[in-house]
Amino acid sequence: MPKSIVVDPKEVRKPAELDISAVPVNQYVGDAKREIAQYGKERLVRAYYDMLTIREFETMLNDIKTKGAYREIEYNHKGPAHLSIGQESTAVGLCMNLETDDFIFGSHRSHGEILAKCYSAIPRLKGPQLEKVMKEYLGGDTLRAVENQKYDNIADLAENFVLYGTLAEIFARKAGFNRGLGGSMHAFFAPFGSMPNNAIVGGSADIALGAALFKRINRKPGIVVANIGDASMGCGPVWEAMMLSAMDQYRKLWDKDLGGAPPIIFNFINNFYGMGGQTAGETMGYRILARVGAGVNPENMHAERVDGYNPLAVADAIERKKKILAEGRGPVLLDTITYRISGHSPSDASSYRTKEEIALWEEADSVRTFGEYLTANKVISASEVGALQERVISKITQALKLAISPEISPRINGEQIGTVMFSNTPTDRMEDRKPEVLLPLAENPRVQQIARKARYAFDEKGVELPKMKVYAYRDGLFEAVIHRFYEDPTMVAYGEENRDWGGAFAVYRGLTEALPYHRLFNASISEGAIVGSGVGYALAGGRALVELMYCDFMGRAGDEIFNQAAKWQSMSAGVLKMPLVVRVSVGSKYGAQHSQDWSSLAAHIPGLKVMFPATPYDAKGMLNLALRGTDPVIFFESQRLYDIGEYFEKGGVPEGYYEVPEGEPAVRREGKDLTIFTVGATLYRAIEAADELATRYGIEAEIIDGRFINPLNYDKIVASVKKTGRILLASDACERGSFLHTVASTVSQLAFDYLDAPAAVLGSRNWITPAAEMEDDFFPQKDWIIDAINERILPLSGHTPTTVQTGGEMSRRARFGV
Ligand SMILES: Cc1ncc(C[n+]2csc(CCOP(=O)(O)OP(=O)(O)O)c2C)c(N)n1
Ligand SMILES: [Mg+2]
């Protein structure tokens, strides 16, 4: 049933003025008496201790990077270190009022936030809980490295564990929090709520939103903070994340009992600089970053500028904003001002700012001034300050010694990286509870309609049935999707026009009736944030199916597909799983920006599973496989195929659940003279070509459908080539850089002795995709296949080519780049 939010011309055409309410700037007023009463002396001292720890940790790294030694302990750290000296109060203030199940995601400059969040979690957890976390994490490897050192109690041991786990990660050691596969810019420790930190500027905005959606949709406690820099306000995905986080539907259309908008704070850690570009006055026009909130929703995103040089101002803001989020009135934007006294990285000569400016901030140094505030108000004595400093230095020295010891902290063998690229843990449901649905599956009108269709394209006499009566490729996709919705309570699907519209190309028709809003919803037109939030949703523990309508729109979600979905499982050393399926539809008839096949781009990126079914049987069986997996899948479909019936499986598409075995290509037709390998919709043109080869030239072609791009088992292809001695590969992807070249070269190396001719690759022309009327000049056609075989593989007696597929033409095209 369509939603009924009437857009009334009388209303929307009325003259009026927009009323934008004031945005608070640095409104916090300190009051020691109140603050001591509120937090108690112990928590205030802890906050100071945490700040000292971050300062010393970063100082140690700075010394290591710039002098090759810290307190005479020598070490050469090859990797990066983006330090946050100056920003300690921001990190600690942020975490003072966060609970363990509140998540923070961050940026390349997050050592301080990792330490602050983990240190704030330690006193919140009981001894046995801490012990359990440490014993279980990475099979106890991190704990083993520190447990033989002296400690006072479990909390003390946990601090050593956090310092070591973070530092060992920075130094790429096996017992680091992510076995050294994340490193300085990506380190995190999820059990204490420190979630992935991102080396892509602004990258955490949409991922954090996905985690907040996970919390809201699955009724989990806690909020999510996206810590991103001031310069990231220039990043498209950050804006997209803010738009997606502020959609009206959370409060207008979603079930009230869910609690409203996703609980997210976009916390801009505003140090007034990117690397060398100054956001205040040079690279931005907002003047005061908090202003941006006013552009997003009527509540200004509850935006505020907060004095990040005072940890208590930050803690106060977080506490107030948590209440707003708990009431479902998010999102929130914080402009938390601070200053990076250290350079962007240790090699930074600070040529973009004056010494005087740095001195001004050093004068106001937050660590020192907070210490002075505590001593002035008798929360701590000068001698206690000295003792705390000594304790911090001794712990960091110990962590350093342990982290650089080759015996205690070896590196993993590089080969082991291959074992964490994918999780490969098929899982029916990510959580065990009843999925929320609106009607029994059997009562679904689309299910009932499909039940009346023939599941094989031909009748008993071999006559093709009318399209309307045949179970189509899109029905296969629908069956897989609805099945998983009724199995996995965490499963959500979203994207543009996913709900009442029926999804792109009507694949989701019938889902709107079946699912509440929070499981199937329309997203803002924010491809980056659609995929990025899917990444966050998946790594937080749910299963997400997101959709990009046209393959060409992958460009808009490039970072989220290529850097985020693809890399987090391995960068976390398998700590995270990524049950995320991204559906992309390869277009046709819509010209250059809607009709390109980019499967080869996805094939190139390590960490992605890439699938491209060409039949209804595979559409269902492969999407079933993808949706039970825990790995990121880029699932290509073709708009040429949505209507097509099942031509190959004589038994038709099974009604029950089944999966296509991962990585196995399908032999669609057997033959002895030549192998034709296809990916996607080209299969059907290859069939036409094979028919003609048989009838006109007496050649039996074996056709293999390369439905899996990654992973891919070459056995069947090699066996086929050993039999036929010849192979032509064809797909709709542009020829240059096509994945087919990888297959051709691999087969050539695996079966060289059996080949009678070089493997021939036929792709689309290296042009823009032209108008529908000219498409046959662009995509490989039956005649191209036959002509290419004739020219490059096996001369066909009596054949007159109608297209030019010669080697000379290949060279000419390459020379002109077309
Ligand atoms: C997408 C992207 N573009 C550029 C960079 C290179 N880079 C690293 S940090 C940085 C500046 C980021 O500034 P800001 O977001 O304010 O964070 P800060 O470094 O100040 O903490 C740049 C340009 C990057 N890592 N990612
Ligand atoms: Mg900055």
Side-chain angles (χ1 to χ4, degrees), residues 181-502:
L181 295 181
S184 165
M185 294 195 283
H186 311 108
F188 69 99
F189 187 66
F192 289 166
S194 164
M195 298 299 277
N197 294 300
N198 217 299
I200 299 296
V201 167
S204 278
D206 51 22
I207 295 178
L209 171 61
L213 278 167
F214 175 77
K215 283 186 183 293
R216 186 56 89 226
I217 290 169
N218 297 285
R219 299 174 157 83
K220 305 285 181 197
I223 67 156
V224 181
V225 183
N227 289 316
I228 44 183
D230 47 316
S232 80
M233 188 56 100
C235 301
V238 171
W239 285 83
E240 288 190 5
M242 291 194 296
M243 289 297 140
L244 192 60
S245 75
M247 295 194 300
D248 274 339
Q249 62 178 292
Y250 302 126
R251 283 182 266 171
K252 282 214 156 86
L253 299 171
W254 289 30
D255 290 349
K256 289 281 172 282
D257 70 316
L258 271 177
I264 183 151
I265 299 179
F266 296 96
N267 184 32
F268 290 84
I269 299 187
N270 183 357
N271 56 19
F272 302 95
Y273 287 91
M275 286 168 62
Q278 197 170 18
T279 55
E282 184 189 10
T283 63
M284 297 283 169
Y286 49 54
R287 202 131 55 89
I288 292 191
L289 188 151
R291 174 193 313 280
V292 169
V296 174
N297 66 10
E299 297 88 33
N300 296 351
M301 294 180 79
H302 309 277
E304 279 187 40
R305 166 165 283 189
V306 180
D307 178 12
Y309 247 40
N310 178 356
L312 301 181
V314 183
D316 166 73
I318 294 292
E319 196 182 19
R320 285 184 290 109
K321 302 304 180 187
K322 272 185 85 165
K323 287 199 187 98
I324 291 172
L325 296 182
E327 289 161 9
R329 296 190 290 121
V332 165
L333 184 155
L334 288 181
D335 167 7
T336 307
I337 57 165
T338 182
Y339 196 75
R340 154 169 73 64
I341 291 171
S342 44
H344 163 69
S345 58
S347 60
D348 170 1
S350 282
S351 52
Y352 49 86
R353 53 183 181 174
T354 63
K355 288 197 175 57
E356 291 73 25
E357 181 183 285
I358 299 174
L360 289 174
W361 286 90
E362 276 172 336
E363 240 166 73
D365 180 16
S366 66
V367 179
R368 202 191 63 247
T369 49
F370 192 58
E372 286 164 4
Y373 158 90
L374 295 182
T375 39
N377 289 291
K378 310 220 162 15
V379 176
I380 190 170
S381 69
S383 66
E384 282 167 324
V385 169
L388 282 186
Q389 275 163 340
E390 264 174 44
R391 181 184 157 92
V392 164
I393 289 170
S394 128
K395 275 181 177 291
I396 285 173
T397 307
Q398 175 185 295
L400 176 61
K401 283 184 183 158
L402 294 175
I404 64 175
S405 155
E407 294 76 34
I408 296 167
S409 304
R411 296 210 161 80
I412 61 163
N413 171 344
E415 278 302 313
Q416 286 174 292
I417 299 171
T419 66
V420 292
M421 290 307 296
F422 297 111
S423 44
N424 286 323
T425 45
T427 306
D428 284 325
R429 51 197 76 83
M430 300 305 292
E431 285 186 1
D432 233 347
R433 60 188 152 84
K434 220 167 143 248
E436 293 174 53
V437 292
L438 302 179
L439 78 172
L441 195 55
E443 288 174 24
N444 187 294
R446 173 113 185 248
V447 170
Q448 291 169 353
Q449 185 206 27
I450 290 176
R452 293 191 290 272
K453 289 186 173 182
R455 300 182 79 98
Y456 182 52
F458 304 95
D459 69 11
E460 310 84 64
K461 295 191 196 107
V463 178
E464 189 161 2
L465 293 161
K467 282 236 172 327
M468 291 295 290
K469 294 194 169 162
V470 174
Y471 181 101
Y473 184 96
R474 67 159 60 77
D475 297 323
L477 298 170
F478 169 78
E479 283 195 340
V481 171
I482 200 158
H483 172 85
R484 192 53 56 201
F485 265 123
Y486 279 68
E487 280 288 312
D488 186 342
T490 71
M491 160 116 162
V492 290
Y494 57 96
E496 291 147 29
E497 336 310 343
N498 268 199
R499 206 174 159 89
D500 308 287
W501 182 276

Side-chain angles (χ1 to χ4, degrees), residues 735-776:
E735 176 275 332
R736 189 173 58 242
S738 166
F739 173 67
L740 298 180
H741 284 293
T742 301
V743 179
S745 123
T746 307
V747 168
S748 301
Q749 291 169 69
L750 295 178
F752 180 69
D753 290 341
Y754 296 84
L755 280 170
D756 297 330
V761 169
L762 206 53
S764 288
R765 300 299 301 274
N766 299 313
W767 301 337
I768 53 164
T769 314
E773 294 80 357
M774 295 158 28
E775 270 187 355
D776 290 358

